[in-house]
Amino acid sequence: MLKRLLFCAAVAISYSKLAIASADSLAVNSKPAPIAQSSPEIKVGVHDARPLAWKTAKGDIRGITPYLATQLIHAWRPDSTLQFKLESAERMIQEVSRGQTDLIYAISDPRLETDAIKIKRIATVPLTLWSLAEDPIHEFNELNNASIATLPAYRNMPYLRNVNIVQLPATKNFLRLLLARRVKGVITFPAMFELMIANEGIARDRLLRIDIAEVDIFLWLSKKSPLSKYTEELKAIAEYANSPEVLNAYLKKVNISRTLACDTNASAQPARDSRVTQCH
């Protein structure tokens, strides 16, 4: 009888150990497997104007700002994916302010000062006034009551107060308006307008250029972007990934003039607000 009781007890203990082992095994196997994080996709707004940014025949986005953004993000997270949004200058500002775009390269704007973070000053470039040689603008006093096409960001400049401003969201139609005499002049960056002239096969001596101001171009990060928590890290990386040396090396490679300062021989009158400084 005693042997039988001992046998039953031994069987009961063995089943208990087996049950515990089974439960432990189930507990381990029931833990969720770690989920591999997908590479972050960074949305970058780029101004649809050569040489800043354009779409190639193969559908790729190329240009100065896509190149700089790629250098920055791949130095920060090499596995990141960049989505370039080819847009007008005005749309770029709107979308980064709303958090629909993470990064843009643009001049200062009140909306950006409020809704975005200034990561780095990238370059200082001349802002130029263009007119037809047969109907030229030589001085600022000739702007009174004249029709001038420019981007919305420049509409509040002091010397444009008595000007009939034709606001356009992008610069791609500036040359067409000027040649058709729908405006007396246009205000834009020289590299962009020089390319328009060359692409249309227009003789350069048909146009008169006056450098009127210097404008700073900044890298902006939306405050509503998930990247905003990495602001200090991105600022540190931008110092070398978007340095003047990196920019100039790219400009040399694609044969774009590296002269980013104003033309000292150009006529210029005092013109100053929070975003531009007078040419010297």
Side-chain angles (χ1 to χ4, degrees), residues 198-216:
N199 290 338
E200 293 296 326
I202 297 169
R204 178 63 179 77
D205 58 7
R206 286 193 59 190
L207 296 154
L208 177 68
R209 163 184 165 174
I210 301 175
D211 290 350
I212 58 177
E214 290 180 331
V215 181
D216 288 327

Side-chain angles (χ1 to χ4, degrees), residues 49-75:
R50 287 175 178 263
L52 296 179
W54 70 91
K55 183 180 288 188
T56 68
K58 295 181 179 180
D60 300 323
I61 306 297
R62 293 285 184 267
I64 298 172
T65 50
Y67 176 79
L68 290 176
T70 300
Q71 296 302 304
L72 172 74
I73 297 302
H74 284 177

